Amino acid sequence: MPAASIAQSAPHSDTLVEQETLDGLHDFVDGVMAQQIASHEVAGATISVVHDGERLFSAGYGYADIDAGARVDPAVTLFRPGSVSKLFTWTALMQQVEQRRVALDEDVNAYIDFEIPAYEGEALRVRDLLTHSPGMSDVGGITAPTLEELTPYGEWIAEHIPQRVWAPGTEIAYSNYGVALAGYIVERVSGEPFADYVEAHIFTPLGMESTTFREPLPDALEDRMASGYEAEDGRLVAQPFELFSNIMPAGSGTSTAHDMSRFMLAMLNEGEYGGARVLQPDSVQLLFENSLRNAPDLPGMAHGFYVVREAGPRLVGHGGNTGDFHSNLILAPEAGFGVFISVTGGGESSAGRTDLTNAIIGRVFPEEPAAREPRPSAEASPAGRYRANRRDYSRPAREEYDIVVAEAGDDALTMTSQDETTYWERTGPLTYEKVTGARPGGPFERIQFHSGETGLVLSFSNQPYMAYRRVATEE
């Protein structure tokens, strides 16, 4: 597709991106996507890149419908952003904070018509939802196989309150339930059904006419939906439209790359796009600012957004995975730069989405690998088995998803997860950088081992929204 741009009145690039890099970026992405389609089971992909108040380019790759031979059009074809949809929910919540209908440090029970029990006397605050630190178990049943089996999300979250497993505001563990609860708060205090609210107060003002949380899709959008795909017996097979309305505000969105560019431009322009303001500058700044982090020296959560990189420049964003679609949205506020990506295909297409994201970051904002440091003899070995803190605590732990850490000489280690082993070298106290698959310019993935209430904890730089606790040897 040819490059397209939207003029925007207030460019703000304190950290400039090299023009030569921008000039060649579209061709670079074309090359990466050709490789992804050939090697990562990608059926179709859509991308939009913005910079300095304009849509720099957008593009579609592969097919929206393989059997019909319909190609992806970034202005027309609908994809499922998955959890990237959460950014709209946080925008809606901050609108209610601006109107003083919601206070971030208030007990969530002040705004809903059922009760979230306190944890050892500590109430769950609205702020804890924004930081993914409600201290709740993960909970299943968030999808429905048929429209008839969908439950209105307000009823679903009232009937499926997760187990409280630690104090709120103390540890980050990604929570779809928490975001659905935030959306319900918006619905309750505004008096508008959530899907109506985001259309009236976010999508329509920004001109996002092809974006919705509604399931099934409105008639006007249905024919524009890309098929989701999975690999079966060596070919890509179309799948039914996925249903997430049980937790609507956490992941039911559908959009185009062009519409997502409008949202990115608004966020990069302090909440305003095309003369319409959806957030005040202070609210946007809060969404971008640091909140909690699990590891002391790795990125953590901003508010709603997670931190991708602390500096050089600072990057914030969000990823999204449904069963069939895999997405990323990354913003560099200091550089006025943003990218949205969504792909569908077989299981490997998720890795393709990640590879493309990293390739763009490494080209536009390259970095150097960290210096290696030998491990002093006094530093304890981090070897052991580690288990994600984000899981359903009402069910037995699934040991096949544990990460096994082993020493690989004095200054390196290996990590094995689901039969994949990677190699890491020490860069500082209990901190390591990934060697496997590292590319010139980065981004370079790091891990850090740190102390938790129950012992040693493992955190990843690219997973600021969760952590892994070392499992006691007797388990």
Side-chain angles (χ1 to χ4, degrees):
M1 298 294 296
S5 65
I6 301 175
Q8 180 66 12
S9 59
H12 56 288
S13 296
D14 299 323
T15 303
L16 296 178
V17 183
E18 293 289 340
Q19 188 61 46
E20 182 179 354
T21 298
L22 294 177
D23 291 342
L25 187 58
H26 196 169
D27 289 342
F28 175 78
V29 171
D30 286 349
V32 175
M33 281 309 307
Q35 181 184 34
Q36 300 305 322
I37 290 171
S39 63
H40 279 84
E41 302 177 334
V42 172
T46 193
I47 181 172
S48 187
V49 177
V50 301
H51 177 249
D52 218 6
E54 296 183 340
R55 186 190 305 128
L56 185 66
F57 70 87
S58 59
Y61 301 93
Y63 292 93
D65 185 327
I66 293 174
D67 293 338
R71 306 285 298 188
V72 173
D73 182 335
V76 175
T77 308
L78 298 167
F79 277 67
R80 305 300 302 276
S83 287
V84 176
S85 308
K86 290 176 169 67
L87 300 178
F88 303 133
T89 300
W90 300 130
T91 300
L93 181 66
M94 290 307 300
Q95 288 177 338
Q96 298 308 303
V97 171
E98 289 178 356
Q99 295 177 42
R100 300 188 178 181
R101 292 174 174 166
V102 174
L104 291 178
D105 291 312
E106 181 63 82
D107 183 340
V108 298
N109 289 315
Y111 307 111
I112 59 178
D113 55 354
F114 60 94
E115 184 177 0
I116 302 291
Y119 177 85
E120 297 182 352
E122 293 192 47
L124 177 61
R125 305 171 302 167
V126 175
R127 186 183 301 275
D128 302 325
L129 306 180
L130 269 166
T131 59
H132 281 282
S133 62
M136 288 179 162
S137 170
D138 210 3
V139 60
I142 63 175
T143 63
T146 66
L147 285 171
E148 292 72 26
E149 294 171 87
L150 278 177
T151 302
Y153 85 96
E155 295 179 20
W156 194 92
I157 61 175
E159 295 169 358
H160 295 82
I161 300 173
Q163 177 184 350
R164 305 296 299 282
V165 289
W166 58 78
T170 60
E171 184 174 320
I172 303 165
Y174 193 84
S175 176
N176 281 310
Y177 183 93
V179 186
L181 182 59
Y184 191 58
I185 290 172
V186 172
E187 180 170 314
R188 292 280 299 171
V189 301
S190 69
E192 301 175 53
F194 182 79
D196 292 350
Y197 180 91
V198 290
E199 286 176 6
H201 301 283
I202 301 174
F203 303 152
T204 296
L206 296 180
M208 299 173 66
E209 298 177 354
S210 301
T211 305
T212 184
F213 273 80
R214 300 183 190 279
E215 297 175 345
L217 291 175
D219 292 343
L221 299 179
E222 185 176 9
D223 291 343
R224 295 165 51 191
M225 183 68 220
S227 293
Y229 286 91
E230 293 182 7
E232 298 179 11
D233 298 324
R235 65 190 185 97
L236 295 173
V237 179
Q239 302 298 308
F241 184 78
E242 298 170 279
L243 301 170
F244 295 96
S245 289
N246 288 355
I247 54 162
M248 177 186 286
S252 289
T254 303
S255 190
T256 65
H258 274 208
D259 271 14
M260 295 302 295
S261 71
R262 292 171 181 268
F263 179 73
M264 291 190 291
L265 289 167
M267 292 298 101
L268 292 169
N269 193 43
E270 299 183 317
E272 182 180 2
Y273 171 77
R277 177 167 293 283
V278 294
L279 281 181
Q280 295 299 317
D282 287 351
S283 296
V284 177
Q285 184 62 32
L286 177 71
L287 292 174
F288 292 166
E289 284 179 355
N290 286 349
S291 62
L292 296 180
R293 67 179 75 205
N294 285 329
D297 300 315
L298 297 183
M301 287 298 301
H303 292 82
F305 287 85
Y306 55 75
V307 180
V308 177
R309 182 191 292 182
E310 291 280 13
R314 179 177 175 82
L315 304 176
V316 297
H318 210 291
N321 287 294
T322 71
D324 303 332
F325 289 85
H326 313 287
S327 307
N328 258 335
L329 185 150
I330 306 292
L331 300 178
E334 302 164 43
F337 182 90
V339 57
F340 170 75
I341 297 163
S342 189
V343 308
T344 184
E348 285 294 313
S349 63
S350 176
R353 173 274 318 261
T354 302
D355 288 350
L356 176 58
T357 304
N358 289 340
I360 292 172
I361 292 173
R363 179 178 175 86
V364 180
F365 305 115
E367 61 180 351
E368 296 294 326
R372 277 31 179 176
E373 294 185 8
R375 189 176 80 186
S377 58
E379 184 172 290
S381 170
R385 178 180 292 270
Y386 292 80
R387 184 167 297 157
N389 66 351
R390 182 200 176 187
R391 61 184 179 88
D392 187 343
Y393 288 79
S394 69
R395 300 178 179 181
R398 298 184 64 179
E399 295 184 4
E400 65 269 27
Y401 290 110
D402 289 352
I403 295 173
V404 177
V405 176
E407 293 188 25
D410 293 336
D411 306 318
L413 52 79
T414 61
M415 289 200 305
T416 302
S417 176
Q418 301 182 63
D419 298 325
E420 179 183 5
T421 298
T422 52
Y423 182 82
W424 305 70
E425 293 179 343
R426 188 181 183 279
T427 61
L430 291 173
T431 305
Y432 294 77
E433 188 171 88
K434 187 177 179 181
V435 175
T436 307
R439 72 182 81 206
F444 298 98
E445 186 177 350
R446 292 180 294 148
I447 56 172
Q448 186 171 48
F449 300 88
H450 51 99
S451 297
E453 289 188 3
T454 59
L456 204 60
V457 178
L458 164 64
S459 289
F460 289 77
S461 61
N462 67 346
Q463 297 180 33
Y465 42 80
M466 60 190 291
Y468 298 78
R469 298 172 178 173
R470 184 153 65 174
V471 179
T473 54
E474 59 267 25
E475 295 186 9

